[in-house]
Amino acid sequence: MEKKRVLNLGIGYTLQPNALWSLRSNENQFHDLKLFAADVYLDLPLKFNPEMVIMAYLGYFNYDFGPGYIRQIGANNPVNGLLSTEETYSAKGNSYPVLGTGKALWGQLGYLFPSMGKEDNKGRLQPYISAQYSDFDAIPSRILQYDFGMNWYFNGHLSKLSINAQNRPVYSNSAEGILKDGRKWMFVMQYQFRID
């Protein structure tokens, strides 16, 4: 039985006047929140074997949260603060600048193999790569973060083992401003299941 082909296009814009504020000369300055995003998603079973599927996603984001806004995110981050004696900017555990005033491009490409095993279903493998390329106003250099990994699906999507490797930039504060100070790796293995 042939699987469905999916092509999804999305576009959105949000405007909220005076939604954010910052301090300038000890006075509150209010800023409009302006968010624009456009994305495309493709789910493409191959003609010669519909159980083999290519999945691709690409999103463009142009955000304005006010001057100098930056948000750093770390998945399950074990660290919650910085030492005042250190000149680090983004090395709080596994966090790095993900969101902010500026532009970002995020993409992911995956390939789903057919079921393994002739008699017993041993699941399906899905290798993938993803990357985010960002140009935020608060950071002078552009940011490139990338991941690659493998999902192993059991019982459809009810159970999944994932292995992921992420490479991200690290930044430090200096007299010249925020400067890139190398890169770090993070390796994660996780298991998820859903009970129906």
Side-chain angles (χ1 to χ4, degrees):
M1 182 169 111
E2 213 170 279
K3 310 270 188 212
K4 286 186 179 180
R5 297 178 185 176
V6 175
L7 177 64
N8 187 59
L9 303 171
I11 190 166
Y13 182 75
T14 296
L15 171 63
Q16 185 176 346
N18 297 322
L20 303 147
W21 63 272
S22 63
L23 282 176
R24 185 179 298 162
S25 301
N26 284 334
E27 290 192 19
N28 291 345
Q29 304 288 317
F30 289 91
H31 313 284
D32 296 345
L33 172 70
K34 300 173 197 167
L35 309 176
F36 171 80
D39 64 2
V40 59
Y41 173 77
L42 175 68
D43 202 44
L44 183 64
L46 302 182
K47 282 190 176 182
F48 63 88
N49 186 346
E51 282 205 352
M52 301 170 102
V53 184
I54 294 172
M55 287 152 281
Y57 174 84
L58 183 63
Y60 169 76
F61 309 92
N62 190 331
Y63 291 162
D64 185 353
F65 296 96
Y69 180 90
I70 200 84
R71 181 169 178 201
Q72 302 190 61
I73 298 173
N76 297 320
N77 198 348
V79 180
N80 65 359
L82 292 174
L83 295 174
S84 58
T85 55
E86 293 186 359
E87 294 182 346
T88 186
Y89 178 77
S90 66
K92 301 179 297 250
N94 61 0
S95 67
Y96 66 97
V98 174
L99 191 66
T101 295
K103 302 172 190 71
L105 195 62
W106 192 86
Q108 185 172 48
L109 181 65
Y111 181 78
L112 184 63
F113 285 97
S115 298
M116 298 182 293
K118 293 184 178 179
E119 295 179 14
D120 295 329
N121 185 352
K122 294 180 172 57
R124 301 176 77 177
L125 294 177
Q126 179 193 43
Y128 64 86
I129 58 171
S130 66
Q132 179 173 326
Y133 182 75
S134 307
D135 184 8
F136 297 132
D137 293 352
I139 299 175
S141 62
R142 296 201 169 96
I143 300 168
L144 175 63
Q145 170 269 320
Y146 54 89
D147 295 72
F148 58 90
M150 178 82 70
N151 294 318
W152 187 359
Y153 295 100
F154 309 99
N155 194 16
H157 285 270
L158 296 178
S159 179
K160 176 178 79 167
L161 176 68
S162 299
I163 299 171
N164 186 79
Q166 179 190 84
N167 187 273
R168 66 188 187 279
V170 176
Y171 292 91
S172 62
N173 287 313
S174 72
E176 294 85 37
I178 301 166
L179 298 177
K180 188 174 171 186
D181 191 20
R183 301 186 68 87
K184 288 191 177 181
W185 283 97
M186 177 177 69
F187 299 93
V188 174
M189 178 185 287
Q190 65 179 1
Y191 178 70
Q192 296 174 312
F193 64 92
R194 190 176 84 217
I195 300 171
D196 275 352

